[in-house]
Amino acid sequence: MNRRSLGSRLAALAAVTAALAGCASDDGDDAAPPASAAPSTASSRPPGSGGTPARTPDGTLLVTDFGADTVTFVDPAARDGAAGLGSVRVGTAPYGIALGEDGTAWVATAEGVAAVDTRTRERTALIPYRTDTGPVTTGEYRGGGMGIALSPDGGRVYVGVNVPGGNGTLEVVDTRRREVTRVVPVGRRPFDVDVSHDGRQVYATNHDSFDVTVVGTGDWTTRRIEVAPYGTEGGLGSWLKPHYTAVRPSDGALLLPFEGERLAVVDPGTGRVRIEDMTANTHQHGVTAGADGTLYVVGTGPIDPSRDDGPSLTVRTPDGGERIIPLDGPHETVALSADGRTAYVTGGFTRAGSWDGLSVVDLGSGGVTRLPVGERPLAVAVLGEGAPRRA
């Protein structure tokens, strides 16, 4: 494994980017003009599909189209370019998604939290944020919702809200009343939101402040845990920041991958951070944990092409053994099929180089099939009984 020093990492950073913040967009869309209007609640369906859509089958994927203000229903078995089963307009620049047991998908957009009935394939609500995030825009640094998660009982949605230029918030949505009931301060750019298995804590992973905010759902107190295995040198310009988190099923530890080199294992109770070695040697983003504790980590590609490896999916067993499956092109997040045999990895990378589709990975053989669908799809979730509920 390439164990690079912090100095060499910062040198690579200087050579590659002069962006203000880590994971800077190269395509300039963070400066896009404000959205002109809230989207319609209507669904768009494949031609000839008629009025009312057929029941959405179990195993269907739902992806957030960051570039199209929609979510798209996807048939993962399609191999003929007709994977899309229709899209629903949800709000500007949708990011994270969480699925409820009642069939409602909750989507974090720049405008508010959208509720989508996955059975009828229509938006049923758009719940505005209480946090002032400025004008509604698109692009990587846009204000509004990013990470999102559901409480175990389905009664609350927790969404990390980005405030450009400042600290973010965690907004709490009552799923029955469909309104924000509480706002809690967290760190900068909350990429991901996760919930403890007992629902007593919520974890906001804050990209630009190198930390995780632990929020107690009983008294709404907060604690900051710095997660910076490379240090915080470089500040907003650093690439070596946390992105996404998985909660380990066995003990509730938080697992945060960095650069295909280091896995930060965080005890949310004590705040202690332990570092384990990784082997993919690639800039890492999305992560999810299987029921058996196996970790699946998305590698987006090199920071420094002369030193780093390309895009990949790391499959890491609970004992630390790793298998690296190469991918073609950058990717962002990952979800598992209900049987745990297939990984779905989105191509809607938050930086330049994204592509409109998914990689379908057979975890047994390591075979990868690219599935064209959506427009810059960021998050992916699997519909159906027993399926994992979020990316």
Side-chain angles (χ1 to χ4, degrees):
M1 179 175 64
N2 176 18
R3 303 296 297 170
R4 289 156 286 177
S5 67
L6 177 59
S8 65
R9 298 297 298 186
L10 293 175
L13 167 64
V16 175
T17 181
L20 173 63
C23 301
S25 173
D26 294 331
D27 56 10
D29 65 356
D30 56 309
S36 59
S40 163
T41 61
S43 302
S44 61
R45 303 185 182 102
S49 62
T52 304
R55 179 184 179 276
T56 306
D58 289 351
T60 297
L61 309 181
L62 189 60
V63 300
T64 57
D65 296 314
F66 192 70
D69 305 341
T70 60
V71 294
T72 295
F73 293 82
V74 179
D75 175 5
R79 296 292 184 269
D80 58 0
L85 299 175
S87 300
V88 178
R89 294 186 63 81
V90 289
T92 302
Y95 204 97
I97 188 169
L99 292 179
E101 296 290 343
D102 64 352
T104 302
W106 303 91
V107 184
T109 81
E111 300 174 64
V113 176
V116 175
D117 187 323
T118 62
R119 295 159 299 191
T120 62
R121 301 182 209 167
E122 60 184 351
R123 191 186 79 183
T124 57
L126 182 62
I127 304 160
Y129 303 118
R130 286 189 186 176
T131 303
D132 182 4
T133 62
V136 174
T137 62
T138 62
E140 181 184 359
Y141 303 107
R142 63 116 175 100
M146 298 187 73
I148 191 168
L150 269 166
S151 62
D153 65 3
R156 293 170 177 163
V157 169
Y158 303 105
V159 57
V161 179
N162 179 43
V163 178
N167 286 340
T169 63
L170 182 78
E171 297 213 0
V172 183
V173 176
D174 183 302
T175 60
R176 183 181 61 82
R177 292 157 54 188
R178 297 198 169 189
E179 65 182 24
V180 175
T181 59
R182 187 172 296 272
V183 179
V184 181
V186 295
R188 296 177 70 113
R189 271 218 296 169
F191 253 61
D192 198 11
V193 173
D194 297 271
V195 182
S196 64
H197 302 310
D198 60 11
R200 295 180 180 179
Q201 293 182 329
V202 178
Y203 313 115
T205 302
N206 309 303
H207 180 270
D208 285 357
S209 49
F210 297 89
D211 57 30
V212 172
T213 303
V214 180
V215 180
T217 59
D219 56 9
W220 304 108
T221 56
T222 64
R223 288 183 295 112
R224 176 183 182 268
I225 301 175
E226 183 175 288
V227 187
Y230 293 91
T232 61
E233 187 176 349
L236 290 179
S238 172
W239 290 64
L240 308 177
K241 300 174 183 175
H243 292 86
Y244 298 89
T245 298
V247 180
R248 189 158 60 190
S250 60
D251 60 1
L254 309 183
L255 307 175
L256 292 84
F258 288 78
E259 306 309 306
E261 294 182 332
R262 305 177 186 182
L263 179 69
V265 181
V266 181
D267 183 329
T270 66
R272 294 192 182 101
V273 181
R274 179 170 53 84
I275 305 300
E276 298 179 1
D277 289 344
M278 298 188 74
T279 61
N281 187 33
T282 183
H283 189 53
Q284 288 177 322
H285 275 209
V287 59
T288 194
D292 65 352
T294 298
L295 204 61
Y296 303 86
V297 188
V298 180
T300 67
I303 293 177
D304 180 356
S306 70
R307 301 176 63 95
D308 305 340
D309 292 336
S312 63
L313 179 68
T314 293
V315 181
R316 182 184 177 93
T317 57
D319 63 4
E322 293 190 346
R323 179 165 60 113
I324 311 301
I325 301 174
L327 299 176
D328 181 11
H331 293 69
E332 184 67 20
T333 61
V334 57
L336 298 177
S337 61
D339 60 12
R341 296 178 180 177
T342 307
Y344 306 108
V345 195
T346 61
F349 189 40
T350 51
R351 293 176 53 237
S354 64
W355 57 282
D356 298 338
L358 305 168
S359 284
V360 181
V361 182
D362 184 316
L363 295 171
S365 68
V368 180
T369 303
R370 283 166 67 96
L371 196 61
V373 70
E375 187 171 332
R376 204 170 184 173
L378 285 188
V380 56
V382 183
L383 277 62
E385 187 67 29
R389 288 295 173 186
R390 59 180 297 278

